[in-house]
Amino acid sequence: MRSQTSFNRIVTPATEAILAGVFIGNDADVQPQFGTVQNFAQDREIFSEGAGADYFYKLVSGTVRTCRFLADGRRQIDAFYVAGDIFGLEFGTHYGLSAEAVTDCMVIMYRKIKLDVGANHDTHLSRELLAFAVRGMARAQAHALLLGRRSAMEKMAGFLLDWSNKSPDRDTVSLAMTRQDIADYLSLTIETVSRTLSQLERDHVIDLPSARQIRLRKLDMLEDLAA
Amino acid sequence: MRSQTSFNRIVTPATEAILAGVFIGNDADVQPQFGTVQNFAQDREIFSEGAGADYFYKLVSGTVRTCRFLADGRRQIDAFYVAGDIFGLEFGTHYGLSAEAVTDCMVIMYRKIKLDVGANHDTHLSRELLAFAVRGMARAQAHALLLGRRSAMEKMAGFLLDWSNKSPDRDTVSLAMTRQDIADYLSLTIETVSRTLSQLERDHVIDLPSARQIRLRKLDMLEDLAA
DNA sequence: CGGGATTTTGATTCCAATCAAGTCCGGTGG
DNA sequence: CCACCGGACTTGATTGGAATCAAAATCCCG
């Protein structure tokens, strides 16, 4: 469990107690040592860019996106999170991005501790935090590389392979998000996303039994396309 | 010192000893407790993608880029580092990117310790590491946002503002890197970088006394352009 | 000075965005 | 059960911004 490489479980039950409980005062309506369960309907905002980052979240079920909105309405999606992932753990005082429910979802909300205090007292905790930050850095770096100097086809192929790796079945990908979400993650338009997927289907690299269900027929060819 | 937000000094002299010395065996030709000073000429490779990540580096003087090369020769620059910055500290066993000297530069090279051992024994060290990872995550995330859904002008304005913030004088930026480096960082071509700068000069937003020396005449206008 | 690399400028092309219809699908109500 | 509605998705035509191709100007550095 401890050694797997996905975001899942980087905060173990033991650590959850430390993160959420040890340095917290009294709070009438929460159980600080376990966090608070909350549900969000599709497209509801979980927290918003610029708000005070007093809590972080662990996703129990569903899918979440973190994003930023530019002045003219353009939206950029920084990351998608799935069950088991931690998100919203800021090291500053305010959220740098908004978080929204891609699907109906359930989260556990934890009050944030003072990091410097915590880090002084518990090395296990600081290792969890370090693991979180390191994985976050790797993820953001990979995203930057996916966005830079890459054609629509290369971005799309990379995106499909990412989800393929997260999927229990390497060659079946179920997308929780809309074409618009994919477009905003890859910095493309919905039309280009759609055209690129259609092209892949014409080339027999994938099947599209339904819009959100994708069968990867030729993983090796996708790898080549991802450059 | 401890509270400043730049990358500088995140590894203090005291920590350098811990990072480099404490868990290291004997090594004839280095002074492990202080690291090894090395010089690299312009465009020399410091380490290469895929190589074993046994060392990390602190930049004493000059500028360094970390980058990746795609199969067809395209280059993507992930980050630039300046004096005081730490780079090449991988949490895996191999480097994920190459590092090259943008200018002649001097670095201190430290043998990497086993992180899990170190983290168990020294909370000060783990805080330094955490700070490094957190800043790295913020940097990579900002880069992804700079690359996504942004015009050439917006990217360029954002780039200039980044360097303006690092500069002692907010409205004078000295670029150590070539147009090609800028292009590979912003995912543009040298021609587009050049044209965009010329456009900014025509609009009296900047002056270009020389190619590498940029005077920012209207910071507020640059902020607007960065969107 | 001179010469090569770097940068700028110009002409053209091309990929993805935009504009504009359709089509499909899932849910709802008759 | 099926017709219909509305949102999501696909496809087509055209435009536009950055890439590419090409050449000139400039800057260094010996």
Side-chain angles (χ1 to χ4, degrees):
Chain A
M1 221 28 137
R2 301 299 329 289
S3 66
Q4 73 181 64
T5 55
S6 85
F7 268 25
N8 294 11
R9 297 259 127 230
I10 69 163
V11 173
T12 59
T15 310
E16 288 180 12
I18 296 161
L19 277 168
V22 174
F23 301 106
I24 297 187
N26 295 321
D27 232 59
D29 57 343
V30 295
Q31 301 170 280
Q33 66 273 36
F34 298 120
T36 310
V37 172
Q38 268 200 278
N39 287 286
F40 290 92
Q42 192 175 347
D43 292 323
R44 279 297 163 78
E45 184 174 79
I46 297 169
F47 56 77
S48 112
E49 183 185 346
D54 301 323
Y55 297 91
F56 69 92
Y57 300 81
K58 179 170 182 170
L59 187 49
V60 176
S61 66
T63 302
V64 165
R65 62 179 172 250
T66 48
C67 52
R68 152 174 301 186
F69 297 90
L70 303 188
D72 59 1
R74 280 173 295 178
R75 185 182 67 164
Q76 296 181 282
I77 292 180
D78 179 60
F80 293 106
Y81 297 96
V82 298
D85 289 346
I86 301 290
F87 65 95
L89 182 47
E90 289 284 329
F91 298 90
T93 55
H94 296 265
Y95 294 115
L97 299 161
S98 301
E100 299 171 347
V102 171
T103 62
D104 291 353
C105 62
M106 182 187 289
V107 302
I108 312 175
M109 186 172 155
Y110 299 96
R111 184 178 290 279
K112 217 178 74 174
I113 58 165
K114 294 282 187 300
L115 290 181
D116 49 359
V117 175
N120 268 342
H121 288 74
D122 190 272
T123 52
H124 180 63
L125 165 59
S126 50
R127 286 169 65 188
E128 300 280 2
L129 291 174
L130 181 59
F132 171 80
V134 165
R135 291 193 170 88
M137 175 163 76
R139 185 195 51 66
Q141 211 163 293
H143 191 206
L145 291 175
L146 186 63
L147 292 180
R149 286 198 178 283
R150 288 184 133 85
S151 69
M153 184 58 83
E154 288 168 341
K155 289 177 179 179
M156 200 66 233
F159 180 80
L160 291 175
L161 288 170
D162 280 353
W163 285 94
S164 164
N165 288 328
K166 291 193 199 183
S167 167
D169 175 6
R170 283 286 272 111
D171 46 40
T172 304
V173 173
S174 296
L175 298 174
M177 71 288 290
T178 65
R179 297 287 187 265
Q180 187 64 63
D181 287 327
I182 299 172
D184 290 342
Y185 180 75
L186 296 177
S187 288
L188 297 171
T189 58
I190 44 174
E191 293 94 332
T192 299
V193 168
S194 184
R195 270 187 255 273
T196 306
L197 287 171
S198 299
Q199 184 61 51
L200 286 169
E201 192 177 32
R202 271 194 298 282
D203 297 344
H204 307 296
V205 177
I206 65 172
D207 281 333
L208 289 164
S210 76
R212 309 284 185 97
Q213 198 70 19
I214 303 182
R215 179 97 203 296
L216 309 183
R217 299 183 62 175
K218 298 176 182 166
L219 275 173
D220 54 340
M221 203 165 284
L222 265 186
E223 311 258 12
D224 293 345
L225 289 169
Chain B
M1 220 27 136
R2 303 298 330 288
S3 66
Q4 76 182 59
T5 55
S6 86
F7 268 25
N8 294 12
R9 297 261 125 228
I10 70 164
V11 173
T12 59
T15 310
E16 287 179 13
I18 296 161
L19 278 168
V22 174
F23 302 106
I24 297 187
N26 294 323
D27 232 59
D29 57 344
V30 297
Q31 301 170 281
Q33 65 273 35
F34 298 119
T36 310
V37 172
Q38 268 200 278
N39 287 286
F40 289 92
Q42 192 174 345
D43 292 322
R44 281 296 163 78
E45 185 175 78
I46 298 170
F47 55 77
S48 113
E49 183 184 347
D54 301 323
Y55 297 91
F56 68 92
Y57 299 81
K58 180 169 181 170
L59 188 50
V60 176
S61 66
T63 303
V64 166
R65 62 181 171 249
T66 50
C67 53
R68 154 175 298 186
F69 297 91
L70 303 188
D72 59 1
R74 280 173 294 178
R75 184 181 68 162
Q76 296 181 281
I77 292 180
D78 179 59
F80 293 105
Y81 298 96
V82 298
D85 290 345
I86 301 289
F87 66 96
L89 181 48
E90 288 284 328
F91 297 90
T93 55
H94 297 265
Y95 294 116
L97 299 160
S98 301
E100 298 171 346
V102 170
T103 61
D104 291 353
C105 63
M106 181 186 289
V107 302
I108 311 175
M109 185 173 156
Y110 299 97
R111 184 178 288 281
K112 217 177 74 175
I113 57 164
K114 293 281 186 301
L115 289 181
D116 48 359
V117 175
N120 270 341
H121 288 75
D122 190 270
T123 52
H124 180 62
L125 166 59
S126 49
R127 286 169 65 187
E128 301 279 2
L129 292 175
L130 181 60
F132 169 81
V134 166
R135 291 193 170 89
M137 175 161 82
R139 186 195 49 67
Q141 209 163 292
H143 191 204
L145 291 174
L146 187 63
L147 292 180
R149 287 198 176 285
R150 289 184 132 86
S151 68
M153 184 58 85
E154 288 168 342
K155 289 177 179 178
M156 201 65 235
F159 180 81
L160 291 175
L161 288 171
D162 280 353
W163 284 95
S164 163
N165 287 327
K166 291 193 199 181
S167 167
D169 175 6
R170 283 285 273 113
D171 46 39
T172 304
V173 174
S174 296
L175 299 174
M177 71 288 291
T178 65
R179 296 287 187 266
Q180 187 64 62
D181 287 326
I182 300 172
D184 291 342
Y185 180 75
L186 296 177
S187 287
L188 298 171
T189 58
I190 43 174
E191 293 94 332
T192 299
V193 168
S194 183
R195 272 187 253 274
T196 306
L197 287 171
S198 299
Q199 183 62 51
L200 285 170
E201 191 178 32
R202 271 195 297 282
D203 298 344
H204 307 295
V205 177
I206 64 172
D207 281 332
L208 288 165
S210 77
R212 309 286 186 95
Q213 197 70 21
I214 302 182
R215 179 101 202 296
L216 309 183
R217 299 183 60 174
K218 298 176 182 167
L219 274 173
D220 54 340
M221 203 166 283
L222 265 186
E223 311 258 13
D224 293 346
L225 288 170

PDB file of all heavy atoms in Angstrom, chain A residues 168-188:
ATOM      1  N   PRO A 168      -8.283   0.543 -14.349  1.00  0.00           N
ATOM      2  CA  PRO A 168      -8.030  -0.862 -13.993  1.00  0.00           C
ATOM      3  C   PRO A 168      -7.741  -1.692 -15.250  1.00  0.00           C
ATOM      4  O   PRO A 168      -6.884  -2.580 -15.225  1.00  0.00           O
ATOM      5  CB  PRO A 168      -9.324  -1.307 -13.318  1.00  0.00           C
ATOM      6  CG  PRO A 168     -10.353  -0.291 -13.681  1.00  0.00           C
ATOM      7  CD  PRO A 168      -9.622   0.979 -13.941  1.00  0.00           C
ATOM      8  N   ASP A 169      -8.468  -1.387 -16.313  1.00  0.00           N
ATOM      9  CA  ASP A 169      -8.244  -2.091 -17.577  1.00  0.00           C
ATOM     10  C   ASP A 169      -7.513  -1.140 -18.533  1.00  0.00           C
ATOM     11  O   ASP A 169      -8.087  -0.162 -19.006  1.00  0.00           O
ATOM     12  CB  ASP A 169      -9.595  -2.508 -18.163  1.00  0.00           C
ATOM     13  CG  ASP A 169      -9.443  -3.136 -19.530  1.00  0.00           C
ATOM     14  OD1 ASP A 169      -8.288  -3.341 -19.967  1.00  0.00           O
ATOM     15  OD2 ASP A 169     -10.470  -3.402 -20.164  1.00  0.00           O
ATOM     16  N   ARG A 170      -6.237  -1.458 -18.782  1.00  0.00           N
ATOM     17  CA  ARG A 170      -5.367  -0.576 -19.569  1.00  0.00           C
ATOM     18  C   ARG A 170      -6.002  -0.089 -20.879  1.00  0.00           C
ATOM     19  O   ARG A 170      -5.705   1.009 -21.336  1.00  0.00           O
ATOM     20  CB  ARG A 170      -4.035  -1.288 -19.905  1.00  0.00           C
ATOM     21  CG  ARG A 170      -3.042  -1.369 -18.785  1.00  0.00           C
ATOM     22  CD  ARG A 170      -2.354  -0.040 -18.494  1.00  0.00           C
ATOM     23  NE  ARG A 170      -1.156   0.192 -19.299  1.00  0.00           N
ATOM     24  CZ  ARG A 170      -1.054   1.113 -20.248  1.00  0.00           C
ATOM     25  NH1 ARG A 170      -2.085   1.853 -20.561  1.00  0.00           N
ATOM     26  NH2 ARG A 170       0.073   1.306 -20.878  1.00  0.00           N
ATOM     27  N   ASP A 171      -6.837  -0.886 -21.526  1.00  0.00           N
ATOM     28  CA  ASP A 171      -7.333  -0.424 -22.823  1.00  0.00           C
ATOM     29  C   ASP A 171      -8.822  -0.076 -22.848  1.00  0.00           C
ATOM     30  O   ASP A 171      -9.444  -0.076 -23.908  1.00  0.00           O
ATOM     31  CB  ASP A 171      -6.960  -1.401 -23.940  1.00  0.00           C
ATOM     32  CG  ASP A 171      -7.225  -2.829 -23.570  1.00  0.00           C
ATOM     33  OD1 ASP A 171      -8.266  -3.085 -22.932  1.00  0.00           O
ATOM     34  OD2 ASP A 171      -6.395  -3.692 -23.891  1.00  0.00           O
ATOM     35  N   THR A 172      -9.367   0.242 -21.691  1.00  0.00           N
ATOM     36  CA  THR A 172     -10.708   0.819 -21.650  1.00  0.00           C
ATOM     37  C   THR A 172     -10.671   2.049 -20.761  1.00  0.00           C
ATOM     38  O   THR A 172     -10.275   1.966 -19.599  1.00  0.00           O
ATOM     39  CB  THR A 172     -11.738  -0.175 -21.086  1.00  0.00           C
ATOM     40  OG1 THR A 172     -11.694  -1.367 -21.856  1.00  0.00           O
ATOM     41  CG2 THR A 172     -13.135   0.427 -21.156  1.00  0.00           C
ATOM     42  N   VAL A 173     -11.051   3.181 -21.318  1.00  0.00           N
ATOM     43  CA  VAL A 173     -11.042   4.423 -20.557  1.00  0.00           C
ATOM     44  C   VAL A 173     -12.467   4.968 -20.479  1.00  0.00           C
ATOM     45  O   VAL A 173     -13.120   5.144 -21.501  1.00  0.00           O
ATOM     46  CB  VAL A 173     -10.110   5.477 -21.204  1.00  0.00           C
ATOM     47  CG1 VAL A 173     -10.237   6.809 -20.499  1.00  0.00           C
ATOM     48  CG2 VAL A 173      -8.673   4.985 -21.192  1.00  0.00           C
ATOM     49  N   SER A 174     -12.922   5.191 -19.257  1.00  0.00           N
ATOM     50  CA  SER A 174     -14.224   5.822 -19.041  1.00  0.00           C
ATOM     51  C   SER A 174     -13.990   7.259 -18.598  1.00  0.00           C
ATOM     52  O   SER A 174     -13.414   7.489 -17.543  1.00  0.00           O
ATOM     53  CB  SER A 174     -15.013   5.089 -17.956  1.00  0.00           C
ATOM     54  OG  SER A 174     -15.296   3.781 -18.381  1.00  0.00           O
ATOM     55  N   LEU A 175     -14.439   8.178 -19.395  1.00  0.00           N
ATOM     56  CA  LEU A 175     -14.195   9.578 -19.074  1.00  0.00           C
ATOM     57  C   LEU A 175     -15.375  10.157 -18.321  1.00  0.00           C
ATOM     58  O   LEU A 175     -16.516  10.108 -18.788  1.00  0.00           O
ATOM     59  CB  LEU A 175     -13.970  10.372 -20.363  1.00  0.00           C
ATOM     60  CG  LEU A 175     -12.767   9.939 -21.197  1.00  0.00           C
ATOM     61  CD1 LEU A 175     -12.739  10.698 -22.520  1.00  0.00           C
ATOM     62  CD2 LEU A 175     -11.476  10.141 -20.432  1.00  0.00           C
ATOM     63  N   ALA A 176     -15.087  10.717 -17.152  1.00  0.00           N
ATOM     64  CA  ALA A 176     -16.153  11.346 -16.377  1.00  0.00           C
ATOM     65  C   ALA A 176     -16.434  12.752 -16.898  1.00  0.00           C
ATOM     66  O   ALA A 176     -17.501  13.306 -16.659  1.00  0.00           O
ATOM     67  CB  ALA A 176     -15.759  11.399 -14.910  1.00  0.00           C
ATOM     68  N   MET A 177     -15.489  13.316 -17.608  1.00  0.00           N
ATOM     69  CA  MET A 177     -15.588  14.734 -17.967  1.00  0.00           C
ATOM     70  C   MET A 177     -16.100  14.936 -19.396  1.00  0.00           C
ATOM     71  O   MET A 177     -16.055  14.033 -20.224  1.00  0.00           O
ATOM     72  CB  MET A 177     -14.235  15.415 -17.783  1.00  0.00           C
ATOM     73  CG  MET A 177     -13.157  15.057 -18.782  1.00  0.00           C
ATOM     74  SD  MET A 177     -12.473  13.385 -18.613  1.00  0.00           S
ATOM     75  CE  MET A 177     -11.552  13.534 -17.086  1.00  0.00           C
ATOM     76  N   THR A 178     -16.584  16.140 -19.636  1.00  0.00           N
ATOM     77  CA  THR A 178     -17.089  16.506 -20.964  1.00  0.00           C
ATOM     78  C   THR A 178     -15.929  16.824 -21.908  1.00  0.00           C
ATOM     79  O   THR A 178     -14.783  16.979 -21.483  1.00  0.00           O
ATOM     80  CB  THR A 178     -17.970  17.766 -20.890  1.00  0.00           C
ATOM     81  OG1 THR A 178     -17.140  18.855 -20.488  1.00  0.00           O
ATOM     82  CG2 THR A 178     -19.108  17.589 -19.895  1.00  0.00           C
ATOM     83  N   ARG A 179     -16.261  16.984 -23.162  1.00  0.00           N
ATOM     84  CA  ARG A 179     -15.265  17.413 -24.158  1.00  0.00           C
ATOM     85  C   ARG A 179     -14.708  18.788 -23.807  1.00  0.00           C
ATOM     86  O   ARG A 179     -13.544  19.083 -24.038  1.00  0.00           O
ATOM     87  CB  ARG A 179     -15.895  17.463 -25.549  1.00  0.00           C
ATOM     88  CG  ARG A 179     -16.373  16.113 -26.066  1.00  0.00           C
ATOM     89  CD  ARG A 179     -15.225  15.231 -26.472  1.00  0.00           C
ATOM     90  NE  ARG A 179     -15.676  14.009 -27.121  1.00  0.00           N
ATOM     91  CZ  ARG A 179     -15.865  12.862 -26.508  1.00  0.00           C
ATOM     92  NH1 ARG A 179     -15.637  12.750 -25.211  1.00  0.00           N
ATOM     93  NH2 ARG A 179     -16.273  11.799 -27.191  1.00  0.00           N
ATOM     94  N   GLN A 180     -15.563  19.619 -23.239  1.00  0.00           N
ATOM     95  CA  GLN A 180     -15.112  20.951 -22.831  1.00  0.00           C
ATOM     96  C   GLN A 180     -14.038  20.857 -21.749  1.00  0.00           C
ATOM     97  O   GLN A 180     -13.056  21.587 -21.782  1.00  0.00           O
ATOM     98  CB  GLN A 180     -16.293  21.786 -22.328  1.00  0.00           C
ATOM     99  CG  GLN A 180     -15.944  23.241 -22.050  1.00  0.00           C
ATOM    100  CD  GLN A 180     -15.525  23.984 -23.314  1.00  0.00           C
ATOM    101  OE1 GLN A 180     -16.311  24.124 -24.238  1.00  0.00           O
ATOM    102  NE2 GLN A 180     -14.271  24.446 -23.362  1.00  0.00           N
ATOM    103  N   ASP A 181     -14.236  19.947 -20.798  1.00  0.00           N
ATOM    104  CA  ASP A 181     -13.231  19.751 -19.752  1.00  0.00           C
ATOM    105  C   ASP A 181     -11.909  19.292 -20.355  1.00  0.00           C
ATOM    106  O   ASP A 181     -10.837  19.784 -19.984  1.00  0.00           O
ATOM    107  CB  ASP A 181     -13.711  18.704 -18.733  1.00  0.00           C
ATOM    108  CG  ASP A 181     -14.812  19.233 -17.830  1.00  0.00           C
ATOM    109  OD1 ASP A 181     -14.813  20.434 -17.510  1.00  0.00           O
ATOM    110  OD2 ASP A 181     -15.680  18.427 -17.444  1.00  0.00           O
ATOM    111  N   ILE A 182     -11.992  18.340 -21.264  1.00  0.00           N
ATOM    112  CA  ILE A 182     -10.767  17.840 -21.905  1.00  0.00           C
ATOM    113  C   ILE A 182     -10.079  18.982 -22.645  1.00  0.00           C
ATOM    114  O   ILE A 182      -8.867  19.174 -22.547  1.00  0.00           O
ATOM    115  CB  ILE A 182     -11.091  16.692 -22.892  1.00  0.00           C
ATOM    116  CG1 ILE A 182     -11.736  15.529 -22.156  1.00  0.00           C
ATOM    117  CG2 ILE A 182      -9.833  16.245 -23.621  1.00  0.00           C
ATOM    118  CD1 ILE A 182     -12.260  14.428 -23.078  1.00  0.00           C
ATOM    119  N   ALA A 183     -10.885  19.748 -23.376  1.00  0.00           N
ATOM    120  CA  ALA A 183     -10.348  20.872 -24.139  1.00  0.00           C
ATOM    121  C   ALA A 183      -9.634  21.863 -23.221  1.00  0.00           C
ATOM    122  O   ALA A 183      -8.519  22.310 -23.520  1.00  0.00           O
ATOM    123  CB  ALA A 183     -11.472  21.569 -24.902  1.00  0.00           C
ATOM    124  N   ASP A 184     -10.239  22.168 -22.087  1.00  0.00           N
ATOM    125  CA  ASP A 184      -9.651  23.159 -21.185  1.00  0.00           C
ATOM    126  C   ASP A 184      -8.423  22.614 -20.465  1.00  0.00           C
ATOM    127  O   ASP A 184      -7.580  23.369 -19.995  1.00  0.00           O
ATOM    128  CB  ASP A 184     -10.693  23.643 -20.165  1.00  0.00           C
ATOM    129  CG  ASP A 184     -11.768  24.492 -20.821  1.00  0.00           C
ATOM    130  OD1 ASP A 184     -11.541  24.985 -21.944  1.00  0.00           O
ATOM    131  OD2 ASP A 184     -12.843  24.661 -20.225  1.00  0.00           O
ATOM    132  N   TYR A 185      -8.324  21.303 -20.383  1.00  0.00           N
ATOM    133  CA  TYR A 185      -7.128  20.696 -19.791  1.00  0.00           C
ATOM    134  C   TYR A 185      -5.970  20.692 -20.796  1.00  0.00           C
ATOM    135  O   TYR A 185      -4.813  20.902 -20.437  1.00  0.00           O
ATOM    136  CB  TYR A 185      -7.441  19.267 -19.350  1.00  0.00           C
ATOM    137  CG  TYR A 185      -6.275  18.536 -18.726  1.00  0.00           C
ATOM    138  CD1 TYR A 185      -5.845  18.822 -17.434  1.00  0.00           C
ATOM    139  CD2 TYR A 185      -5.597  17.552 -19.441  1.00  0.00           C
ATOM    140  CE1 TYR A 185      -4.770  18.158 -16.870  1.00  0.00           C
ATOM    141  CE2 TYR A 185      -4.521  16.871 -18.885  1.00  0.00           C
ATOM    142  CZ  TYR A 185      -4.112  17.179 -17.604  1.00  0.00           C
ATOM    143  OH  TYR A 185      -3.039  16.516 -17.054  1.00  0.00           O
ATOM    144  N   LEU A 186      -6.304  20.453 -22.063  1.00  0.00           N
ATOM    145  CA  LEU A 186      -5.274  20.331 -23.101  1.00  0.00           C
ATOM    146  C   LEU A 186      -5.038  21.631 -23.857  1.00  0.00           C
ATOM    147  O   LEU A 186      -4.208  21.686 -24.763  1.00  0.00           O
ATOM    148  CB  LEU A 186      -5.676  19.232 -24.101  1.00  0.00           C
ATOM    149  CG  LEU A 186      -5.769  17.809 -23.554  1.00  0.00           C
ATOM    150  CD1 LEU A 186      -6.255  16.863 -24.641  1.00  0.00           C
ATOM    151  CD2 LEU A 186      -4.408  17.361 -23.014  1.00  0.00           C
ATOM    152  N   SER A 187      -5.777  22.660 -23.495  1.00  0.00           N
ATOM    153  CA  SER A 187      -5.701  23.923 -24.230  1.00  0.00           C
ATOM    154  C   SER A 187      -6.028  23.725 -25.709  1.00  0.00           C
ATOM    155  O   SER A 187      -5.250  24.096 -26.587  1.00  0.00           O
ATOM    156  CB  SER A 187      -4.322  24.574 -24.089  1.00  0.00           C
ATOM    157  OG  SER A 187      -4.166  25.087 -22.802  1.00  0.00           O
ATOM    158  N   LEU A 188      -7.163  23.128 -25.950  1.00  0.00           N
ATOM    159  CA  LEU A 188      -7.696  22.974 -27.303  1.00  0.00           C
ATOM    160  C   LEU A 188      -9.158  23.429 -27.251  1.00  0.00           C
ATOM    161  O   LEU A 188      -9.648  23.853 -26.208  1.00  0.00           O
ATOM    162  CB  LEU A 188      -7.631  21.499 -27.742  1.00  0.00           C
ATOM    163  CG  LEU A 188      -6.248  20.865 -27.852  1.00  0.00           C
ATOM    164  CD1 LEU A 188      -6.366  19.363 -28.084  1.00  0.00           C
ATOM    165  CD2 LEU A 188      -5.449  21.515 -28.980  1.00  0.00           C
TER     166      LEU A 188
END
